[in-house]
Amino acid sequence: MGKPMATRLLQAGLSVTVWNRTRAKAAPLATLNAHIADTPADAVRDAHVVITMLEAGAIVRDVIAQAEAALRPGTLVIDMSSTRQSEAQEFHARLAARNVNFMDAPVSGGVLGAEAGTLAIMAGGSESDFTRAEPILKLLGRPTRVGPAGCGQIAKLCNQLIVGGTLGIVAEALMLAQAGGADPAAVRTAIRGGFAESRILDVHGQRMLERNFLPGGQVKSQTKDLENVLIAAASGGVRLPLAELLTELYRTILDVVPNADQSAALIALERMNPGKRVGDGPDQLP
């Protein structure tokens, strides 16, 4: 995600310094006039705005620890990773102690959305910080402030819950069609345009029919997000029974195909129903 996002900022004429744990991944951005930093501290030393896009909260914490001494008072740190709400609130408090502002702004839309600048951006932070960040975020997609720091992560979890739940239902629908003697591909075509139409049915329904499980979003990421949904639900004092079932479904394949696309929910369902399989082609797996 980071490379296409940084590319859009560079193409808009911004002065951008980049750092990656694997330097070779950042190196191609030098052709777009990015400055390549050797350390997180070097990357943020002269920055007015810092954006992090990392795998999980623990890694965000580690990078902040490496960079924070070099952050100037008044700098705005925008974490666009997917983390727990409690982690985002922790980062906010930690940086506030240094007079550094913080927003969590996770995204949805995948690599294609990052390349096209059409990401859905769910921002948590003060109104003044959002106003300051908005012109930059609009280069990456459609930003919406959803509440104070930490609330961006709640919005992202809502997104992932809907995505994961719809993936599971589409997989069940295709299997039901197959088990009932109908052509799953024809059933998908027949119901498109009705109330069941969705981006998931369009994109991932086709992937399931083709048994194309090359990522995209990954099983391990979807499972992580669903685990965080349950943690947030417990923190908020609510029970989400469908989220519990969905998390268990993904857990069954987490050790089997962790890097497969999240549409591998179909594989999890087939493992629960031996002898039942949607489509005739071989599985395309990473």
Side-chain angles (χ1 to χ4, degrees), residues 172-227:
E172 290 192 3
L174 295 178
M175 176 163 284
L176 178 61
Q178 180 92 26
D183 178 351
V187 169
R188 173 179 169 272
T189 299
I191 64 178
R192 293 191 64 190
F195 281 128
E197 179 65 283
S198 70
R199 184 71 172 154
I200 299 296
L201 180 64
D202 177 19
V203 175
H204 290 283
Q206 185 63 33
R207 289 175 70 94
M208 291 176 189
L209 291 169
E210 296 172 351
R211 304 196 69 82
N212 176 9
F213 304 117
L214 299 174
Q218 296 178 311
V219 165
K220 63 182 181 182
S221 299
Q222 182 65 47
T223 307
K224 177 201 75 172
D225 288 340
L226 290 170
E227 297 278 6

Side-chain angles (χ1 to χ4, degrees), residues 82-84 156-168 218-234 240-254 262 265:
S82 293
T83 72
R84 297 178 184 176
K156 177 61 185 288
L157 292 179
C158 292
N159 179 86
Q160 292 306 95
L161 179 55
I162 292 171
V163 168
T166 308
L167 282 164
Q218 296 178 311
V219 165
K220 63 182 181 182
S221 299
Q222 182 65 47
T223 307
K224 177 201 75 172
D225 288 340
L226 290 170
E227 297 278 6
N228 286 341
V229 165
L230 297 183
I231 291 170
L240 305 177
L242 295 181
E244 293 172 4
L245 291 171
L246 186 62
T247 305
E248 286 301 323
L249 181 72
Y250 273 96
R251 283 171 177 163
T252 65
I253 54 170
L254 182 57
Q262 54 196 348

Side-chain angles (χ1 to χ4, degrees), residues 4 7 14 18 40 50 65-66 85 91 107 118 166 179 202 212 221 230 241 248:
T7 296
L14 275 66
V18 296
V50 174
Q66 295 181 59
Q85 180 185 31
F91 305 148
V107 305
T118 58
T166 308
D202 177 19
N212 176 9
S221 299
L230 297 183
E248 286 301 323

Side-chain angles (χ1 to χ4, degrees), residues 21-169:
R21 288 173 294 170
T22 304
R23 186 185 177 90
K25 293 183 178 180
L29 292 169
T31 63
L32 296 174
N33 296 319
H35 307 284
I36 311 298
D38 293 322
T39 68
D42 290 338
V44 307
R45 199 175 310 279
D46 298 317
H48 298 286
V49 175
V50 174
I51 295 175
T52 50
M53 187 59 161
L54 297 158
E55 185 177 356
I59 300 171
V60 177
R61 183 182 296 108
D62 180 59
V63 170
I64 288 176
Q66 295 181 59
E68 62 184 338
L71 288 167
R72 298 182 300 180
T75 300
L76 174 59
V77 175
I78 307 172
D79 179 36
M80 303 188 78
S81 319
S82 293
T83 72
R84 297 178 184 176
Q85 180 185 31
S86 60
E87 290 171 325
Q89 292 168 333
E90 169 199 334
F91 305 148
H92 175 255
R94 177 173 181 167
L95 293 172
R98 290 183 171 270
N99 293 316
V100 172
N101 298 354
F102 175 84
M103 286 178 52
D104 57 310
V107 305
S108 179
V111 175
L112 292 178
E115 292 171 343
T118 58
L119 293 169
I121 303 172
M122 298 148 270
S126 70
E127 291 186 10
S128 60
D129 285 342
F130 180 75
T131 298
R132 180 179 171 189
E134 192 173 16
I136 295 173
L137 297 179
K138 281 185 173 179
L139 297 172
L140 305 176
R142 179 178 54 82
T144 304
R145 179 180 177 269
V146 297
C151 288
Q153 297 300 339
I154 288 294
K156 177 61 185 288
L157 292 179
C158 292
N159 179 86
Q160 292 306 95
L161 179 55
I162 292 171
V163 168
T166 308
L167 282 164
I169 290 296

